[in-house]
Amino acid sequence: SVAFTPPLPEYKQQAIKVLGMGTENRVAMLFPKTFWPEKPHFLRPVAGKYTFANLHALGKSNVLCAWVRPAFVPEVEEWTDEETLADVVGVLKRMFGDAFVEPLDYK
C-alpha cells in the first residue's frame, strides 16, 4: 500500500480506486532472422489471442513479443510456458507461412 503525506484530496483517492488493474502476459522471442515486416512497431491481427510488438523496429534485433489480449488472459494463464509458446508459434506460422523460422529462445 502507498501512503501520501499530506494525504491526497478525496476526489483523487476516489479516482485511484476506480482505476482498473489487470494481468499482462507476454512472450518475448529471439529469432535467428527477421521474417516479419521490419518497420511497424506493432503487428495487430484482426482476430486472435495476440498482438505482436516488433522490438526489432525499436532496436532489439530479431525480437518479437506476443502480448496476450485481455479477453484471453484467463485461458492462457492456465497453460504451461511450452503450451503458450506452441500456440504463439502456430499463429506466426499461419501469418507468415514458409518465411517463418523457429525461435532461438523465449521468455
Side-chain angles (χ1 to χ4, degrees):
S1 142
V2 175
F4 292 91
T5 305
L8 292 175
E10 183 63 28
Y11 75 93
K12 287 187 178 181
Q13 292 179 39
Q14 290 304 315
I16 290 171
K17 285 181 184 177
V18 298
L19 289 175
M21 299 299 272
T23 302
E24 183 173 296
N25 292 15
R26 295 176 279 204
V27 179
M29 297 160 287
L30 173 64
F31 292 91
K33 67 177 188 170
T34 304
F35 58 86
W36 59 89
E38 293 187 17
K39 292 190 181 192
H41 290 183
F42 291 95
L43 307 174
R44 294 184 173 106
V46 174
K49 293 182 187 80
Y50 311 105
T51 293
F52 295 92
N54 180 10
L55 301 186
H56 182 84
L58 301 171
K60 298 289 184 188
S61 294
N62 304 332
V63 176
L64 192 61
C65 185
W67 288 358
V68 180
R69 290 180 173 163
F72 298 98
V73 166
E75 176 185 356
V76 174
E77 283 192 332
E78 295 294 320
W79 299 348
T80 65
D81 290 351
E82 293 77 17
E83 290 170 325
T84 304
L85 178 65
D87 193 60
V88 171
V89 163
V91 171
L92 292 172
K93 285 179 179 178
R94 287 189 296 281
M95 288 174 66
F96 296 104
D98 292 338
F100 174 81
V101 295
E102 294 288 334
L104 297 171
D105 197 10
Y106 73 98
K107 300 244 184 238

